[in-house]
Amino acid sequence: MLPISDMNPTRRFPLLNYLFIGINIAVFAWELGLSEGQLQAAFINLAVVPADIMRNPFSLEAFLDILRSMFFHGGIAHIGGNMLYLWLFGDNVEDRFGKILYFFVYMVSGFGAAIAQVLINPNSQIPLVGASGAIAGVLGAYFVFYPAVKVRGVVFLGYYMRSVQWPAWIVLGMWFVLQALNGVASLCAVNAESGGVAFFAHIGGSVVGAVLSGLFSIVVPQPPREQRYEALYERAQRYRF
């Protein structure tokens, strides 16, 4: 299923989420101005290379490599998919947490994702790039807070498409299971990446996001149930056709 919208209104403008999207797009625009050789050199010198991180894991350079990696992308499809998921699910997580905690969850999930992939394949020379790990943390948080919210999307059946509505726990649960299965399968390969996808980064990021959300939910209460139901009902009416 390719998600395209969710019936989950926000109370506040998701400024930080849009800022993350804008930074990712700006960095990708900079990448487009580089030659293939320059881009590969930038990934190797500025992003996470697991073997390099393991040689000096607590250095400032290792910290900066992980931070920079979270805003690099390997192609249009890569950034397009990541920004779709961030735009779709990030606004509600920011609305739930507020900007400070959302920033913390996003960043810590990104770092946790990179560390998970490095630990799985510490000798890899392949650069890890992309916001997928941080966004996986956002998906983990959404799963914790909004499991029953309806997500609209399309399912491709050969040459045909079908519009469907599934609860978020099914959409995100299927996504997580797919990452886990692909991650286990990748362990049988020479590297823990398969087709350039760092599956254990996705798994690590989503677990970090879900755990932090469970902890933070203790200190950041949700709106009253009646208010949430009323907002969801009003939003649902706009999806009727």
Side-chain angles (χ1 to χ4, degrees):
M1 174 189 179
L2 177 66
I4 56 176
S5 63
D6 66 333
M7 288 182 271
N8 195 2
T10 58
R11 297 164 295 167
R12 294 168 286 194
F13 182 76
L15 177 62
L16 184 56
N17 198 57
Y18 288 153
L19 181 61
F20 282 140
I21 293 173
I23 294 173
N24 277 283
I25 293 174
V27 172
F28 186 70
W30 171 76
E31 291 179 33
L32 292 177
L34 302 178
S35 67
E36 183 65 26
Q38 290 173 326
L39 182 60
Q40 291 303 315
F43 286 167
I44 292 172
N45 294 324
L46 300 177
V48 170
V49 176
D52 294 342
I53 294 292
M54 290 301 295
R55 280 194 287 269
N56 200 357
F58 302 108
S59 65
L60 175 61
E61 186 62 27
F63 174 86
L64 294 176
D65 284 348
I66 295 176
L67 181 62
R68 291 187 293 248
S69 287
M70 293 164 57
F71 297 97
F72 286 135
H73 285 87
I76 293 178
H78 190 198
I79 190 171
N82 277 347
M83 294 305 101
L84 171 64
Y85 275 81
L86 183 56
W87 170 76
L88 184 57
F89 297 107
D91 57 345
N92 295 112
V93 178
E94 178 182 346
D95 188 58
R96 174 68 173 83
F97 273 139
K99 292 175 177 55
I100 294 177
L101 287 183
Y102 180 58
F103 179 86
F104 183 82
V105 169
Y106 186 93
M107 288 297 175
V108 173
S109 296
F111 273 80
I115 292 169
Q117 188 65 36
V118 168
L119 292 178
I120 286 293
N121 197 11
N123 298 317
S124 175
Q125 298 286 343
I126 302 175
L128 305 179
V129 297
S132 306
I135 296 170
V138 174
L139 301 186
Y142 197 100
F143 183 89
V144 169
F145 292 136
Y146 309 110
V149 166
K150 295 292 185 180
V151 177
R152 296 187 68 195
V154 292
V155 174
F156 297 93
L157 304 171
Y159 294 104
Y160 301 95
M161 292 191 308
R162 180 181 177 185
S163 178
V164 295
Q165 286 188 22
W166 291 343
W169 71 268
I170 293 181
V171 177
L172 300 180
M174 289 175 59
W175 175 88
F176 183 85
V177 170
L178 181 62
Q179 306 310 306
L181 292 176
N182 285 326
V184 171
S186 73
L187 292 177
C188 300
V190 175
N191 294 311
E193 296 93 357
S194 177
V197 180
F199 294 108
F200 286 96
H202 300 172
I203 296 169
S206 60
V207 170
V208 170
V211 170
L212 288 176
S213 299
L215 294 175
F216 289 156
S217 64
I218 299 174
V219 297
V220 184
Q222 291 197 67
R225 177 176 298 182
E226 294 76 13
Q227 181 179 335
R228 298 201 308 272
Y229 284 171
E230 181 180 355
L232 286 171
Y233 175 79
E234 292 175 356
R235 176 73 174 269
Q237 300 311 300
R238 298 201 292 270
Y239 282 87
R240 297 182 64 182
F241 55 86

